[in-house]
């Protein structure tokens, strides 16, 4: 069966949907550009440069070329039969973003923005990082394209992701630990924004997720959508139909929107975003913005935010540094509001269990972030028929996490 | 509802270039180290006839602030410094001890309370001249500007060294109360050097508006303040004063130096 026909069989709607974001950078009521005046000129410059580049076939060619010969795209789509058997129910497929150069989907966005920054004549890249994957990806691209590079990272994350800190240094980047607030991703973003407002002429802020002020959510989604485009094509080619469900973990949301966006019009494909349930759903113990949050404005965008009764931002907790964040990308907030994407959360324990399950059943050690998606897929599979298919974005590999997991297991007295 | 008292706005609305003294705007972090001290500082500022006080309400994630104001915000980040509590507290201060107040904080705090609810309550106190919101961009303000106007709460426009002239003109046209010229690229309290382009920009802004054009971010000495007042209508003193907030004698001394600078500049002009 031809892919085009398969799409028709699946009942994809061809109805015109609004172009999102709109010209002011809003997805419905979410998004915007809530930043200081000093940064506004840079955001316009960036938007102009991005729109120009994205229309330019030579830029697209360079982008796709570097992804293929430097990062190893396309990444495989893998039928995880043993994992599916362990779950009992639907078949689980893994989009192997963990096989990208530097170990996660983050490199795709870093390559895209790095090429764009070069085109804009910038000489310095800065970035925030949580788990360190985006920091490593940015440092890698900086090394490859010849940029000066500084990474902001919460000191709590510096501690639990020591291996990635070393990798960034090895790649020639300067790592600045951030001692403010909860000392995690949110605080690193604030510091990066402060740096950018000082250095905006020569510096590009290589934001790592589909978050922050317009045009970042649009730009990061555009780069990361290659995940969903590949997965859709690969699945159709192998199975002749579309998957029944997609699952991705959601920190800021770049791996999720990257997988989901090319399937948005395929209304029969259900989509599930998985947030970090942490230790419990009490304030400060989790990062499930859609369960415990409300609409607010943080770090440039209007979206769902974890905040207290006075509007102060709550700190978060998750075993995975990459999901440990108080707000979520505005486009995901929009699709949650319209009901197109469903959200749920998976706690630390369940994610750790999935981390071990995937390692044992498939010989694939997932990142702790992606382990949340695996855990949810295991839950979901049990509720579905054996002839149905779940496609999970395995957004990163777990090499960076093994020391931390070993420490946690030891603490619990579970020696492997 | 208490009838709005117009007096709080008087300074802000009747300021006249060439007639009124230069605008001195000290910035205070509410509740640093405690609200009693803040009240004391407000009284001193009122007695010296400042144009207004920018009263900072602490926010957990102050992305436009440098280390001094971040640290002060962390110290005063308590429940009694929530926007609503601060409005209640301001209502308890006798009118004669209170300069015109511009509340300065990040947009989420207004958004969380609801911009309309905030404006209703702010107007009811009769003591809030306006708001200074560094992360409410000119573009995003479009949705909220009419509400602030409806209640007579001045929404102050920011112009920075990166703002192009056409945009600056639009910002100035929509600004109310005063115009905030950010003198440097970066966060509050960084080292400011007064450039020729800043002088030119301020001169240009003054041609476009009758509102006082005030320069802030990094004004660290009375000499610098006096120099700024040679070409701008006003000056905002932030981190330099916040540094001294925990020692009331020192604060008063520093503040009076800036008052002297203003008075000198006033005589010279």
């Amino acid at each position: 069966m031809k892919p085009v026909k398969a799409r028709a069989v699946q009942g994809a709607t061809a109805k015109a949907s609004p172009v999102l974001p709109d010209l002011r950078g809003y997805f419905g009521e979410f998004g915007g550009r809530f930043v200081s005046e000093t940064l506004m000129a840079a955001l316009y410059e960036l938007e102009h440069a991005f729109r120009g580049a994205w229309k330019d076939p030579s830029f697209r060619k360079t982008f796709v070329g570097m992804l293929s010969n430097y990062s190893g795209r396309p990444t495989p789509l893998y039928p995880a039969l043993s994992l599916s058997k362990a779950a009992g129910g639907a078949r689980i497929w893994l989009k192997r973003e963990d096989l990208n150069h530097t170990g996660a989907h983050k490199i795709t966005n870093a390559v895209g923005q790095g090429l764009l920054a070069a085109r804009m004549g910038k000489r310095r890249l800065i970035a925030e990082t949580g788990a360190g994957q985006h920091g490593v990806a940015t440092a890698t691209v900086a090394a490859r394209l010849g940029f000066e590079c500084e990474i902001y990272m919460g000191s709590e994350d510096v501690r639990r992701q020591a291996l990635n800190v070393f990798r960034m240094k090895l790649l020639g980047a300067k790592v600045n630990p951030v001692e403010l607030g909860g000392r995690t991703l949110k605080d690193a973003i604030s510091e990066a924004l402060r740096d950018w407002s000082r250095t905006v002429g020569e510096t590009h802020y290589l934001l790592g997720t589909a978050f922050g002020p317009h045009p970042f959510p649009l730009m990061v989604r555009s780069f990361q959508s290659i995940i969903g485009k590949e997965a859709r094509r690969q699945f159709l080619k192998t199975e002749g139909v579309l998957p029944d469900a997609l699952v991705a973990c959601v920190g800021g949301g770049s791996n999720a929107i990257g997988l989901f966006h090319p399937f948005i019009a395929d209304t029969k494909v259900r989509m599930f975003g998985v947030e970090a349930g942490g230790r419990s759903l009490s304030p400060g113990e989790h990062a499930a913005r859609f369960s415990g949050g409300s609409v607010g404005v943080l770090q440039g965008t209007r979206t769902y935010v974890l905040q207290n009764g006075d509007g102060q931002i709550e700190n978060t907790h998750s075993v995975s540094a990459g999901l440990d964040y108080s707000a979520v990308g505005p486009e995901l907030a929009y699709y949650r509001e319209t009901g197109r994407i469903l959200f749920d959360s998976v706690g630390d324990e369940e994610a750790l269990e999935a981390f071990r399950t995937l390692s044992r059943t498939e010989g694939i050690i997932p990142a702790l972030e992606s382990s949340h998606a695996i855990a949810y897929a295991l839950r979901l599979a049990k509720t579905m028929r054996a002839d149905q298919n779940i496609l999970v974005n395995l957004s990163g590999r777990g090499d960076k996490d093994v020391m931390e997991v070993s420490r946690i297991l030891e603490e619990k007295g579970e020696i492997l | 509802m208490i009838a709005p008292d117009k007096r709080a706005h008087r300074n802000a609305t009747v300021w006249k270039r060439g007639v009124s003294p230069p605008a001195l705007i000290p910035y205070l972090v509410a509740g640093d180290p405690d609200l009693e001290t803040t009240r004391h500082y407000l009284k001193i500022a009122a007695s010296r006839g400042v144009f207004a006080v920018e009263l900072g309400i602490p926010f957990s994630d102050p992305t436009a602030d440098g280390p001094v104001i971040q640290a002060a915000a962390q110290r005063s980040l308590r429940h009694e410094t929530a926007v609503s509590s601060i409005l209640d507290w301001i209502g308890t201060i006798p009118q004669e001890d209170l300069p015109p107040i511009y509340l300065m904080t990040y947009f989420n705090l207004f958004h969380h309370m609801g911009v309309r609810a905030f404006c209703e309550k702010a107007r009811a106190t009769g003591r809030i001249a306006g708001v200074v919101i560094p992360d409410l961009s000119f573009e995003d303000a479009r949705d909220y500007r009419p509400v602030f106007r409806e209640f007579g709460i001045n929404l102050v426009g920011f112009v920075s060294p990166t703002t192009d002239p056409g945009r600056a003109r639009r910002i100035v046209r929509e600004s109310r109360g005063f115009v905030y010229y950010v003198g440097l690229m970066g966060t509050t309290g960084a080292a400011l050097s007064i450039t020729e382009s800043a002088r030119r920009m301020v001169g240009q802004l003054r041609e476009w508006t009758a509102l006082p054009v005030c320069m802030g971010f990094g004004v660290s000495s009375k000499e610098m303040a006096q120099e700024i007042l040679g070409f701008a209508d006003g000056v905002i003193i932030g981190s330099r004063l916040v540094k001294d907030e925990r020692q009331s004698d020192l604060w008063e001394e520093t503040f009076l130096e800036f008052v002297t600078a203003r008075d000198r500049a006033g005589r010279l002009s």
Side-chain angles (χ1 to χ4, degrees):
Chain A
M1 191 185 283
K2 287 267 169 60
V4 179
K5 282 191 181 158
R7 186 177 171 135
V9 168
Q10 285 286 317
T13 53
K15 73 177 174 199
S17 53
V19 176
L20 295 174
D22 66 19
L23 289 175
R24 296 166 69 216
Y26 280 86
F27 305 87
E29 57 170 311
F30 303 102
R33 278 171 288 207
F34 292 86
V35 295
S36 62
E37 175 60 20
T38 311
L39 292 178
M40 287 303 293
L43 294 180
Y44 277 110
E45 180 195 8
L46 183 58
E47 182 179 352
H48 181 75
F50 169 70
R51 290 192 191 276
W54 203 235
K55 278 191 300 219
D56 176 354
S58 77
F59 178 86
R60 296 283 276 263
K61 199 175 159 201
T62 314
F63 174 59
V64 172
M66 191 163 159
L67 291 179
S68 105
N69 67 20
Y70 188 66
S71 182
R73 297 209 78 94
T75 58
L77 180 68
Y78 169 72
L81 299 179
S82 305
L83 182 74
S84 309
K85 204 170 153 198
R91 268 181 300 174
I92 300 173
W93 300 70
L94 304 177
K95 179 60 176 162
R96 297 292 308 273
E97 291 299 303
D98 60 317
L99 293 178
N100 271 298
H101 180 43
T102 74
H105 73 291
K106 294 290 185 190
I107 189 76
T108 304
N109 171 51
V111 165
Q113 287 195 48
L115 290 171
L116 188 62
R119 192 178 155 109
M120 290 166 76
K122 305 286 176 181
R123 59 162 200 85
R124 179 172 175 266
L125 298 179
I126 56 169
E128 81 297 337
T129 195
Q133 289 304 105
H134 176 57
V136 168
T138 304
T140 299
V141 167
R144 168 72 182 73
L145 299 177
F147 288 101
E148 195 183 301
C149 181
E150 282 188 49
I151 306 294
Y152 291 92
M153 187 171 189
S155 58
E156 168 64 12
D157 293 336
V158 168
R159 182 194 65 73
R160 54 184 170 174
Q161 300 289 348
L163 180 64
N164 272 343
V165 173
F166 181 72
R167 291 167 79 196
M168 287 182 258
K169 290 180 178 168
L170 199 59
L171 292 159
K174 183 167 178 249
V175 180
N176 301 312
V178 178
E179 299 286 354
L180 301 159
R183 300 178 173 83
T184 59
L185 184 56
K186 167 169 78 78
D187 314 290
I189 294 178
S190 286
E191 272 306 278
L193 282 170
R194 291 185 188 110
D195 180 318
W196 202 28
S197 64
R198 283 192 299 274
T199 59
V200 66
E202 57 179 30
T203 299
H204 174 64
Y205 176 17
L206 209 162
L207 186 62
T209 190
F211 187 75
H214 179 63
F216 283 106
L218 162 69
M219 189 168 65
V220 177
R221 177 196 81 199
S222 304
F223 291 138
Q224 293 291 7
S225 287
I226 198 165
I227 302 171
K229 285 178 199 154
E230 279 177 15
R232 194 173 182 283
R233 196 173 57 232
Q234 290 165 324
F235 200 90
L236 278 173
K237 195 174 169 198
T238 336
E239 297 297 300
V241 290
L242 289 173
D244 299 278
L246 306 177
V247 178
C249 63
V250 181
S254 70
N255 92 80
I257 198 70
L259 174 66
F260 295 164
H261 196 262
F263 290 90
I264 288 286
D266 301 316
T267 49
K268 288 203 172 151
V269 179
R270 293 189 297 157
M271 301 176 180
F272 299 89
V274 186
E275 299 185 284
R279 285 185 284 255
S280 77
L281 289 181
S282 329
E285 295 286 299
H286 68 96
R289 291 68 44 104
F290 290 126
S291 306
S294 51
V295 179
V297 173
L298 181 66
Q299 294 173 331
T301 194
R302 185 172 191 274
T303 184
Y304 272 80
V305 177
L306 291 168
Q307 52 190 331
N308 72 14
D310 296 336
Q312 304 292 348
I313 307 307
E314 303 268 22
N315 286 328
T316 50
H317 162 81
S318 168
V319 67
S320 79
L323 303 185
D324 203 349
Y325 183 54
S326 315
V328 63
E331 188 165 15
L332 291 176
Y334 170 77
Y335 285 120
R336 191 250 192 182
E337 209 81 343
T338 64
R340 180 65 188 94
I341 303 175
L342 302 172
F343 289 85
D344 205 336
S345 64
V346 160
D348 287 355
E349 287 294 328
E350 197 181 342
L352 282 165
E353 195 55 45
F355 178 86
R356 295 171 73 176
T357 305
L358 187 65
S359 302
R360 295 260 171 115
T361 56
E362 298 287 352
I364 298 171
I365 302 174
L368 281 173
E369 290 75 18
S370 323
S371 300
H372 287 71
I374 299 292
Y376 192 78
L378 289 169
R379 263 197 233 168
L380 190 63
K382 291 184 178 64
T383 69
M384 293 165 66
R385 296 188 314 269
D387 63 339
Q388 291 182 301
N389 297 293
I390 303 173
L391 197 161
V392 183
N393 193 354
L394 186 61
S395 54
R397 59 177 176 247
D399 307 33
K400 68 183 175 59
D401 294 313
V402 292
M403 291 306 291
E404 179 71 359
V405 171
S406 137
R407 189 187 65 78
I408 292 168
L409 293 182
E410 234 165 85
E411 241 175 48
K412 295 201 299 189
E414 293 177 37
I415 311 292
L416 294 182
Chain B
M1 196 171 100
I2 307 162
D5 185 328
K6 288 278 176 348
R7 277 190 301 166
H9 299 240
R10 190 182 297 155
N11 261 358
T13 51
V14 305
W15 185 92
K16 275 205 170 57
R17 184 172 295 138
V19 178
S20 308
L24 177 63
I25 308 179
Y27 170 87
L28 290 173
V29 177
D32 177 37
D34 51 57
L35 285 176
E36 264 320 294
T37 311
T38 305
R39 182 192 297 249
H40 176 61
Y41 294 160
L42 288 174
K43 186 174 176 174
I44 294 172
S47 76
R48 297 291 169 163
V50 297
F51 173 81
V53 164
E54 224 189 281
L55 187 63
I57 299 178
F59 180 54
S60 49
D61 299 85
T63 50
D65 283 305
V68 172
I69 294 178
Q70 281 178 46
Q74 282 302 316
R75 287 196 294 272
S76 74
L77 200 54
R78 292 182 300 264
H79 186 62
E80 68 263 27
T81 51
V83 175
S84 177
S85 316
I86 288 291
L87 289 173
D88 290 335
W89 171 76
I90 286 175
T92 67
I93 301 176
Q95 194 77 64
E96 60 274 20
D97 292 346
L98 203 63
I101 297 289
Y102 280 80
L103 291 179
M104 184 283 185
T105 193
Y106 292 82
F107 186 59
N108 194 51
L109 297 189
F110 299 105
H111 181 272
H112 191 71
M113 184 173 175
V115 170
R116 180 166 290 275
F118 164 78
C119 287
E120 278 170 3
K121 188 159 180 171
R123 185 165 73 174
T125 68
R127 290 152 158 91
I128 304 299
V131 288
V132 176
I133 313 175
D135 65 337
L136 182 59
S137 66
F138 180 69
E139 284 78 354
D140 292 314
R142 195 179 80 177
D143 301 340
Y144 307 99
R145 210 174 271 125
V147 186
F148 286 113
R149 293 229 175 119
E150 184 186 331
F151 289 88
I153 304 288
N154 293 323
L155 177 62
V156 173
F158 281 91
V159 176
S160 90
T162 58
T163 310
D164 73 59
R167 177 179 174 83
R169 192 167 193 167
R170 290 197 297 278
I171 291 172
V172 163
R173 196 182 328 148
E174 298 294 338
S175 187
R176 295 292 182 269
F178 64 96
V179 171
Y180 198 132
Y181 180 69
V182 177
L184 56 83
M185 283 169 51
T187 50
T188 54
L192 172 67
S193 60
I194 298 163
T195 60
E196 198 40 50
S197 70
R199 286 171 188 268
R200 266 203 311 276
M201 186 60 145
V202 169
Q204 181 64 75
L205 299 177
R206 291 172 84 213
E207 282 176 27
W208 289 332
T209 180
L211 297 176
V213 176
C214 305
M215 185 158 160
F217 272 48
V219 182
S220 56
S221 68
K222 60 176 192 295
E223 290 77 16
M224 188 181 273
Q226 204 170 321
E227 190 187 344
I228 289 170
L229 291 176
F231 62 93
D233 299 314
V235 65
I236 301 150
I237 316 294
S239 299
R240 179 62 198 91
L241 279 170
V242 170
K243 238 181 233 172
D244 294 340
E245 273 179 355
R246 279 176 296 175
Q247 281 172 276
S248 140
D249 295 351
L250 204 57
W251 185 89
E252 193 167 343
E253 195 180 306
T254 309
F255 171 67
L256 291 178
E257 280 180 9
F258 286 107
V259 171
T260 308
R262 174 201 60 183
D263 293 345
R264 268 201 204 126
R267 276 199 303 277
L268 291 175
S269 64

